[in-house]
Amino acid sequence: MNIQLPLYKTLRNGMSAKLDRMQLADREWVRELLNIVIIEGQTYPQIQPLSESEFAAYWTTHDAFVVRGVSDLEGQDLGGQELPNILGAFYLKPNFPGRCSHLCNAGFIVQPSLRGQGIGRWMGEAMLAIATAQGYEAVIFNLVFATNTPSISLWQSLGFSTIGRIPEAVQLGDGSQVDALILYRSLR
């Protein structure tokens, strides 16, 4: 199975979007978006925004993808101008090294103002297809905050099962602690 990128989709709000591999020019946009999500403190374990080198080590070591808004002018004389902003992004990489590298992990972010438009589901479906095409045999999400119900619902609808619960794994900004879930889906 081979996935031909880019992929195109019309979002729920009518915006045209394009999913493709992340380019070097996208890195700072994606880092800024990730840092917004980190500061929100509801889905990623980091406390402080990531520097360029921290971001590169975390997000870009293997495969990274972006969703961008596409201008209605695409394909016209203006050279297919794309909106410069990143609507969402995800990475895909082995969850473990060596003998366990057939199990992958992925991380996802969506612009806060565009959540609920189908970007997360589209990226999730694309990730599953890409992971399968790359020969991964399963996907594991190691640390899904139990309070992140939109994400949990999405992954369950895409065939993921909860295979573990880590009690009080997450310390939220207000000092409260919540559990984290380990989610799994076979790609076979």
Side-chain angles (χ1 to χ4, degrees):
M1 181 161 132
N2 191 10
I3 304 301
Q4 295 295 321
L5 296 176
L7 303 173
Y8 292 89
K9 182 175 184 77
T10 301
L11 304 177
R12 289 185 189 136
N13 64 4
M15 177 185 279
S16 297
K18 174 181 172 181
L19 188 152
D20 205 354
R21 290 192 171 276
M22 187 173 88
Q23 302 299 313
L24 189 57
D26 300 326
R27 280 179 117 168
E28 188 56 25
W29 288 96
V30 175
R31 183 175 78 92
E32 287 178 17
L33 176 55
L34 178 60
N35 284 337
I36 289 168
V37 173
I38 288 170
I39 291 167
E40 287 177 337
Q42 302 301 308
T43 57
Y44 276 79
Q46 293 87 348
I47 294 173
Q48 299 295 321
L50 300 182
S51 68
E52 289 179 31
S53 61
E54 290 167 331
F55 170 75
Y58 181 67
W59 199 271
T60 66
T61 59
H62 287 80
D63 293 306
F65 304 86
V66 296
V67 173
R68 18 176 116 72
V70 179
S71 167
D72 291 334
L73 302 174
E74 180 148 0
Q76 293 183 13
D77 291 342
L78 297 176
Q81 294 288 332
E82 292 175 332
L83 299 175
N85 61 325
I86 299 297
L87 310 181
F90 70 96
Y91 65 79
L92 176 65
K93 59 187 173 185
N95 198 39
F96 305 107
R99 297 186 200 312
C100 299
S101 62
H102 60 287
L103 306 173
C104 68
N105 177 265
F108 299 81
I109 52 177
V110 175
Q111 287 285 354
S113 64
L114 293 171
R115 292 176 185 154
Q117 299 301 313
I119 297 168
R121 174 171 295 281
W122 186 33
M123 290 191 301
E125 291 167 347
M127 178 277 296
L128 291 171
I130 293 166
T132 301
Q134 290 185 0
Y136 289 111
E137 295 180 17
V139 183
I140 298 175
F141 297 143
N142 304 312
L143 197 69
V144 180
F145 296 10
T147 51
N148 188 356
T149 54
S151 180
I152 293 166
S153 295
L154 169 64
W155 299 122
Q156 288 174 339
S157 76
L158 291 176
F160 283 77
S161 300
T162 300
I163 61 168
R165 178 179 284 272
I166 307 166
E168 299 179 342
V170 182
Q171 190 164 9
L172 298 175
D174 65 5
S176 64
Q177 291 182 320
V178 299
D179 295 354
L181 305 179
I182 302 169
L183 302 180
Y184 173 86
R185 183 179 187 273
S186 174
L187 298 175
R188 291 188 221 170

